[in-house]
Amino acid sequence: MRLAVFSTRPTDKQFLSLENKNHNFEIQYFESKLRLQTASLAKGFDGVCAFVNDELNAEVLAELKEMGVKIIALRCAGFNQVDLKAASELNIPVVRVPAYSPYAVAEHTLALLLCLNRRLHRAYNRVREGNFSLEGLLGFDLHDKTVGVVGTGKIGLIVVQILKGFGCKILCYDPYPSQDLETHYCTLEELIQQSDIISLHCPLTPQSHHMINEDSITLMKQGAILVNTSRGALVDARAVIHGLKSGKIGGLAIDVYEEEGDLFFEDLSNHVIQDDIFARLTTFPNVLITGHQAFFTDRALSNIAQTTLQNFSDFQQGKELVNQVSQS
Ligand code: NAD
């Protein structure tokens, strides 16, 4: 099988090439993101491997079909970037990596929360400049604080376990509560009203789009902390900026951003950032942003490479595609 890998970064190549020693696929790596303009690169390839910010809308999928592509493997868990109806109509199966290391994302969530709360991002810079003042670095104990976990799937469950170790009180919201969790489920509204910290761990769907908006921010406790390592569009960034300016939101830690497709995974340090909302977010002392790196651990990348190439291999051998995603 000939495979075209889009949005390739050096680490993708490193881990996929290593894993490919077990498969011997003919792999071509493209740095370009998958877009209508770049889809023709897939001409003559049997499979396409895409990532979170690649575009797989109806037009791109039709073009890939035209190019002879027979299967699309996402090397990520989320699949909100794919028009699944169009893929199904074109008879192109879409597979993904449902779980590669939920620990990687859960641990990064805690890293963000601890860094933001204890102002480590500011302390790091101060100490390097010989400034040992503690002014503005006041944090709070996580112990006894109420944390609202939205979405108790693989990642959310681990976040709950870790937070229990910190002695936090946990509130959860999930339309499909987990049987594995001895914790208190409540409505989303109650969770937002009662939590000191809110952490989002649900997929982006039409129902969850902008679940944090002007109305939900009004319900929050004064000074609540919001953490989002799931998908940017769960949060209305404009509304969050208002909340930060008024002090209603006491801190924001995000690894994802609604319009991240034009920013993340690129070195834009020599460019002027055109996204004014994102640029405004970076000016707050109580906002911490990482560029979609929560998944980025060696174990996760190795698992992603393994499952992705296994998905292609199952397709090649006509086996059942256990990681296929379809419209619900
Ligand atoms: P999962 O499928 O195991 O769990 C998701 C949970 O969310 C499920 O229990 C589901 O019932 C629940 N849910 C669905 N709709 C909801 C809603 N409207 N409100 C509340 N809960 C809802 O997924 P996971 O592996 O735990 O991943 C969670 C999310 O994390 C993914 O959807 C993805 O967007 C994100 N993610 C981010 C990174 C990163 O690098 N930042 C990496 C992997 C995953």
Side-chain angles (χ1 to χ4, degrees):
M1 259 181 113
R2 298 189 71 222
L3 309 178
V5 178
F6 283 83
S7 297
T8 309
R9 292 288 168 263
T11 41
D12 298 315
K13 195 171 173 181
Q14 181 192 335
F15 282 88
L16 283 167
S17 297
L18 188 66
E19 179 60 23
N20 195 34
K21 291 191 173 141
N22 300 323
H23 293 274
N24 279 321
F25 291 119
E26 195 182 320
I27 302 182
Q28 179 90 38
Y29 296 98
F30 298 106
E31 285 181 19
S32 320
K33 285 183 191 147
L34 179 56
R35 298 276 183 270
L36 190 55
Q37 298 82 343
T38 58
S40 59
L41 290 170
K43 190 172 171 57
F45 287 91
D46 306 291
V48 155
C49 179
F51 197 44
V52 281
N53 291 324
D54 287 321
E55 279 174 11
L56 289 146
N57 57 32
E59 268 183 305
V60 173
L61 289 166
E63 181 70 10
L64 292 179
K65 179 84 183 177
E66 191 72 25
M67 296 295 122
V69 171
K70 300 176 193 71
I71 177 168
I72 291 165
L74 305 172
R75 53 182 192 282
C76 54
F79 49 88
N80 52 283
Q81 70 277 43
V82 189
D83 185 333
L84 290 175
K85 184 166 175 280
S88 147
E89 283 165 7
L90 291 163
N91 200 20
I92 305 180
V94 178
V95 288
R96 64 169 179 149
V97 185
Y100 35 89
S101 174
Y103 298 98
V105 183
E107 289 170 15
H108 191 76
T109 304
L110 263 293
L112 283 174
L113 174 59
L114 288 168
C115 180
L116 178 70
N117 171 32
R118 303 308 296 267
R119 320 286 195 246
L120 300 186
H121 54 306
R122 306 189 69 198
Y124 176 79
N125 287 326
R126 280 193 194 182
V127 169
R128 286 165 68 94
E129 292 187 1
N131 175 359
F132 305 105
S133 160
L134 297 183
E135 212 52 50
L137 302 188
L138 189 65
F140 57 80
D141 292 15
L142 281 184
H143 189 263
D144 264 350
K145 285 284 180 293
T146 302
V147 185
V149 176
V150 180
T152 51
K154 291 177 283 297
I155 295 168
L157 278 179
I158 296 166
V159 168
V160 169
Q161 277 171 12
I162 299 173
L163 287 169
K164 281 188 175 168
F166 277 90
C168 296
K169 296 172 188 149
I170 315 285
L171 288 176
C172 294
Y173 167 71
D174 192 309
Y176 306 96
S178 166
Q179 306 301 322
D180 303 338
L181 194 59
E182 280 175 30
T183 194
H184 184 65
Y185 278 95
C186 60
T187 65
L188 181 60
E189 197 169 278
E190 287 165 342
L191 180 149
I192 290 173
Q193 280 172 330
Q194 294 170 29
S195 298
D196 301 297
I197 297 152
I198 298 168
S199 193
L200 306 180
H201 301 288
C202 61
L204 176 63
T205 62
Q207 293 74 38
S208 64
H209 182 264
H210 284 191
M211 63 172 16
I212 301 296
N213 54 35
E214 209 75 65
D215 293 339
S216 47
I217 292 169
T218 311
L219 295 178
M220 284 181 191
K221 275 187 172 180
Q222 187 68 23
I225 304 270
L226 178 64
V227 185
N228 184 12
T229 56
S230 280
R231 284 293 178 265
L234 295 175
V235 170
D236 177 353
R238 280 175 197 275
V240 167
I241 288 174
H242 289 149
L244 285 160
K245 285 168 78 175
S246 71
K248 184 79 177 177
I249 297 180
L252 173 74
I254 51 174
D255 184 53
V256 286
Y257 172 66
E258 184 161 7
E259 303 298 333
E260 69 178 49
D262 294 332
L263 298 168
F264 290 1
F265 308 128
E266 305 294 336
D267 177 1
L268 301 178
S269 53
N270 287 320
H271 298 260
V272 172
I273 300 285
Q274 298 296 321
D275 183 327
D276 291 347
I277 297 181
F278 185 83
R280 179 69 179 103
L281 282 173
T282 62
T283 66
F284 291 93
N286 53 348
V287 171
L288 182 61
I289 306 175
T290 51
H292 211 133
Q293 72 173 78
F295 73 99
F296 201 57
T297 65
D298 53 356
R299 185 187 294 176
L301 291 193
S302 169
N303 289 343
I304 287 171
Q306 234 171 36
T307 306
T308 300
L309 296 191
Q310 190 57 48
N311 283 339
F312 280 125
S313 176
D314 289 348
F315 176 77
Q316 187 179 34
Q317 293 172 32
K319 289 186 182 163
E320 186 197 351
L321 299 177
V322 286
N323 296 319
Q324 185 166 4
V325 278
S326 46
Q327 275 178 288
S328 49

